[in-house]
Amino acid sequence: MNSNTNIKRKKDGYYFWVGVFFFILIGAGALLWYSALQIDYTWRWYMVPRYFVANVETEVKSEIEGDAVSVTQKGENTVILVKGPDGSEEYIVPGNDIRIGEGDIIYAGDTLGVYKKWQAGILLQGLWLTMKVSIIAIVFGIVIGMFAGLARVSANPALKWTSVTYIELIRGSPLLVQIFIWYFVLGTLINTLLTKNGLPDLPPLWYGVAALACFTGAYVAEMVRAGIQSIHRGQTEASRSLGMNYIQSMTYVILPQAMLRILPPLAGQFISLVKDSSLLGIIAIRELTKATREVVTTSLQPFELWFVCALLYLILTFSLSMFVQYLERRTLIQ
Amino acid sequence: MIDAKNVYKTFYVPHEVQALVDVTNKIEAGEVVVVIGPSGSGKSTFLRCLNHLEEANSGQIFIDGVDILDPKTDINRVRAEVGMVFQSFNLFPHKSVLENVTLAQRVVRKRSKEEAAETAMALLRKVGIDDKANVYPDQLSGGQQQRVAIARALAMNPKIMLFDEPTSALDPEMVGEVLDVMKSLAKEGMTMVVVTHEMGFAREVADRVIFMDNGAIVEEGTPDHFFTNPTNDRTKLFLSQIL
């Protein structure tokens, strides 16, 4: 194609409307700022970074009772030797902020020294947990959805009706309710059974993951079904006429094409999942939203923190959609 | 090689159509049979019944002595011996030309990667398209795609080849290249059943021509008999319309 044909003439007033767009954008920001001024809200953006990484004071405590026999400097660290009736123990404190002297009597739990350590703040921990929950749920969601989708198009009534029931149950009830059911009903049942058999409880995280994965699986199943049905009948006929059985034809011919076709709606579903993971705070999983809520309670800076929280979700979902677009382009070019 | 006895086939969706009515025919090994007839006459259905893409309602179909309507028959094993070429090619768009030809060899015949590729390249050379081995089907012309489809079917070393209107979806200038491949195949002694509207091909290559109308075989005979003095009125009408 001639490249000149791609250049469209800008319509009259184009730049005016571009201006309007930026006016709206800036206007909305200004309005927010102005209203915040009216209620005397003090913006303290400098408070935010500490919830990402914090330089936390960490105490080195003695675990035994006895005397501090020696306090010696060894390079950057300070080594404290505690000798007691039950043996002796050596403690290393980075730096030289020592809270005891040589010859002091030490009780178990006494602070020997203090040092500062960089730690991931609560928001970063929450972000990490959100990513972890989402990724695990996406992987399981794909697996569940793939099997349920295949069962959905199967001719076997047991497989087909099981799949239909699953999909309709999941799609017909709110995710919040499903999370409650997973945690309070199934969680109680499963953990009781585990305890009775002498096994440790499953932490809430896994019930949250299960709820999200099952929820997503139902939607993925419908997409897989649509994807399979969108592949032309001739593809099945060609592969079967070559002697492939149903499973071979699905594995090598139909599914690869179907999956490629449903990549865009799948991406949308996974973006939803990342956002829906914010509901998991209600079952004591400290993901990003719950972390933000906790930080808001301690810092009393809700405006900044909720904006930051939204922005972090935006970064997650945007990278996910970029990744899927990359996959799509890579498979299309080949 | 192919023995069809009293085959009936009725479609109920979207509405009831008797596609095959008491079709009986025997095709010998090495024979090239061309099936002609107006659209909706059941010729494609007959062909598709021969490899069980459609299941006949009643009657018997033996392929190389195996009753394919017997539920105990492993139909996949029979299909591996019966190659099929479709009107719309049906190449696998997500696989390269070479992979299209090697896939079933590897999956069904369990050949090694090297062996399958070797067979595939030999066949692609035969159909004159070996220079496009690593290209994807959508970059090929219709005639080239159909030749790849023929190579794909031949890669299974079938005993029978079924052609379902192989040139109907092609631009006129590409019909010749596909027919040439089919002609050379016929010369090699392949058993072929060809549904087509290419009367020139029928006259030149066929050992026998079958004319179908309304789901039944109305007339059959050598091309000579067929094109010079057909006996049935419906055959005469059909030939007068297309020739």
Side-chain angles (χ1 to χ4, degrees):
Chain A
M1 202 200 287
N2 190 335
S3 63
N4 284 332
T5 56
N6 282 333
I7 299 169
K8 272 190 204 149
R9 281 205 42 175
K10 297 268 187 283
K11 271 190 191 158
D12 294 343
Y14 176 83
Y15 291 104
F16 171 72
W17 293 110
V18 170
V20 169
F21 166 73
F22 284 107
F23 179 76
I24 292 172
L25 219 60
I26 294 166
L31 201 65
L32 192 73
W33 180 70
Y34 175 74
S35 6
L37 278 185
Q38 296 306 301
I39 60 158
D40 288 328
Y41 187 84
T42 323
W43 295 86
R44 292 199 181 90
W45 284 103
Y46 63 87
M47 296 265 286
V48 173
R50 74 182 58 168
Y51 299 111
F52 282 89
V53 278
N55 204 356
V56 187
E57 270 203 347
T58 313
E59 298 175 325
V60 176
K61 290 181 173 169
S62 173
E63 282 157 19
I64 59 165
E65 200 179 309
D67 300 316
V69 181
S70 69
V71 178
T72 44
Q73 200 79 16
K74 247 186 204 172
E76 298 266 291
N77 302 335
T78 309
V79 180
I80 300 168
L81 184 67
V82 180
K83 214 170 211 166
D86 311 320
S88 62
E89 196 79 48
E90 219 177 46
Y91 294 97
I92 298 167
V93 182
N96 47 17
D97 191 357
I98 303 302
R99 300 288 162 93
I100 52 141
E102 236 172 44
D104 284 4
I105 298 166
I106 310 288
Y107 294 98
D110 278 5
T111 303
L112 301 172
V114 174
Y115 65 96
K116 288 204 160 184
K117 196 169 83 175
W118 286 100
Q119 264 184 352
I122 182 167
L123 279 187
L124 208 58
Q125 288 173 16
L127 181 68
W128 164 240
L129 197 59
T130 290
M131 282 166 67
K132 187 167 134 188
V133 167
S134 304
I135 290 169
I136 302 175
I138 285 175
V139 171
F140 281 108
I142 292 176
V143 174
I144 295 172
M146 186 87 99
F147 280 108
L150 282 171
R152 179 72 180 74
V153 295
S154 150
N156 181 322
L159 287 175
K160 186 174 176 169
W161 294 346
T162 309
S163 175
V164 170
T165 311
Y166 159 68
I167 293 170
E168 291 307 320
L169 276 182
I170 296 286
R171 295 204 308 175
S173 60
L175 176 58
L176 188 60
V177 174
Q178 289 174 34
I179 294 172
F180 282 140
I181 290 177
W182 268 102
Y183 186 58
F184 292 111
V185 182
L186 298 176
T188 310
L189 294 177
I190 293 170
N191 276 347
T192 311
L193 284 179
L194 287 174
T195 313
K196 276 192 175 167
N197 289 297
L199 295 164
D201 279 5
L202 280 178
L205 178 77
W206 289 104
Y207 294 106
V209 167
L212 285 181
C214 283
F215 180 76
T216 304
Y219 287 89
V220 172
E222 275 297 282
M223 290 171 198
V224 169
R225 178 192 62 80
I228 290 173
Q229 287 176 347
S230 79
I231 302 300
H232 192 264
R233 257 188 62 173
Q235 292 292 310
T236 310
E237 289 183 352
S239 50
R240 298 304 303 271
S241 79
L242 287 163
M244 289 188 214
N245 61 33
Y246 179 81
I247 294 170
Q248 290 167 336
S249 160
M250 270 292 167
T251 318
Y252 296 106
V253 178
I254 307 301
L255 275 181
Q257 296 183 58
M259 291 314 278
L260 189 59
R261 209 168 278 190
I262 63 173
L263 218 44
L266 271 185
Q269 188 59 45
F270 295 148
I271 286 168
S272 281
L273 183 143
V274 172
K275 294 184 289 177
D276 288 343
S277 74
S278 62
L279 290 171
L280 293 182
I282 51 165
I283 57 167
I285 298 173
R286 202 162 78 175
E287 41 63 60
L288 185 53
T289 303
K290 182 147 198 303
T292 310
R293 234 162 54 203
E294 286 177 16
V295 172
V296 166
T297 340
T298 52
S299 72
L300 302 175
Q301 296 298 129
F303 287 19
E304 298 90 332
L305 286 162
W306 285 119
F307 279 131
V308 166
C309 178
L311 187 71
L312 289 175
Y313 275 111
L314 191 67
I315 291 171
L316 284 187
T317 53
F318 188 71
S319 347
L320 190 57
S321 100
M322 283 293 112
F323 174 65
V324 173
Q325 271 186 31
Y326 157 78
L327 273 187
E328 233 177 300
R329 219 170 312 136
R330 205 192 60 171
T331 37
L332 279 183
I333 294 166
Q334 277 172 342
Chain B
M1 191 56 95
I2 301 173
D3 195 0
K5 289 177 183 164
N6 312 102
V7 176
Y8 283 82
K9 173 73 188 174
T10 307
F11 290 110
Y12 297 97
V13 181
H15 44 81
E16 196 171 318
V17 179
Q18 285 209 311
L20 293 179
V21 184
D22 199 17
V23 172
T24 299
N25 211 278
K26 202 169 179 173
I27 296 163
E28 301 298 338
E31 209 178 1
V32 177
V33 175
V34 170
V35 186
I36 60 173
S39 65
S41 60
K43 49 196 195 309
S44 278
T45 307
F46 176 57
L47 200 71
R48 291 161 62 83
C49 280
L50 294 183
N51 71 349
H52 209 266
L53 280 184
E54 302 290 354
E55 187 173 13
N57 299 126
S58 67
Q60 283 178 305
I61 299 173
F62 292 93
I63 301 290
D64 206 12
V66 181
D67 182 0
I68 65 165
L69 291 175
D70 183 350
K72 277 177 294 210
T73 303
D74 178 5
I75 191 62
N76 295 319
R77 194 174 275 183
V78 178
R79 280 176 179 156
E81 307 293 334
V82 182
M84 185 152 191
V85 176
F86 301 86
Q87 180 178 355
S88 48
F89 329 134
N90 298 342
L91 291 181
F92 308 134
H94 61 303
K95 303 236 173 242
S96 73
V97 164
L98 185 68
E99 288 166 339
N100 262 278
V101 186
T102 53
L103 180 64
Q105 295 188 63
R106 303 202 56 202
V107 172
V108 180
R109 291 276 192 237
K110 310 284 180 210
R111 289 180 189 156
S112 73
K113 197 174 175 181
E114 294 73 26
E115 194 190 351
E118 215 171 286
T119 316
M121 284 313 292
L123 286 167
L124 287 174
R125 246 191 308 279
K126 186 172 166 183
V127 300
I129 208 158
D130 49 321
D131 55 326
K132 305 269 189 197
N134 294 311
V135 156
Y136 283 81
D138 60 358
Q139 289 160 274
L140 298 180
S141 72
Q144 290 172 324
Q145 289 194 43
Q146 193 62 297
R147 285 185 280 148
V148 173
I150 293 173
R152 177 176 70 178
L154 289 175
M156 301 297 287
N157 302 108
K159 294 175 180 148
I160 301 167
M161 285 286 285
L162 307 175
F163 292 85
D164 189 4
E165 304 201 26
T167 57
S168 301
L170 295 178
D171 290 336
E173 74 270 21
M174 290 167 187
V175 171
E177 60 192 62
V178 172
L179 290 182
D180 285 344
V181 171
M182 291 167 62
K183 279 175 201 166
S184 71
L185 206 54
K187 266 191 207 118
E188 289 166 24
M190 175 65 78
T191 311
M192 290 165 64
V193 185
V194 184
V195 172
T196 188
H197 295 293
E198 294 294 329
M199 294 305 144
F201 177 82
R203 204 186 295 226
E204 190 184 334
V205 183
D207 297 312
R208 190 148 54 93
V209 176
I210 294 175
F211 175 71
M212 287 183 75
D213 195 14
N214 288 329
I217 295 179
V218 176
E219 186 166 1
E220 61 174 299
T222 61
D224 228 21
H225 156 83
F226 217 83
F227 292 107
T228 49
N229 53 358
T231 47
N232 191 288
D233 286 343
R234 275 187 285 177
T235 318
K236 285 180 194 164
L237 180 66
F238 176 71
L239 289 174
S240 71
Q241 279 166 344
I242 63 160
L243 287 178

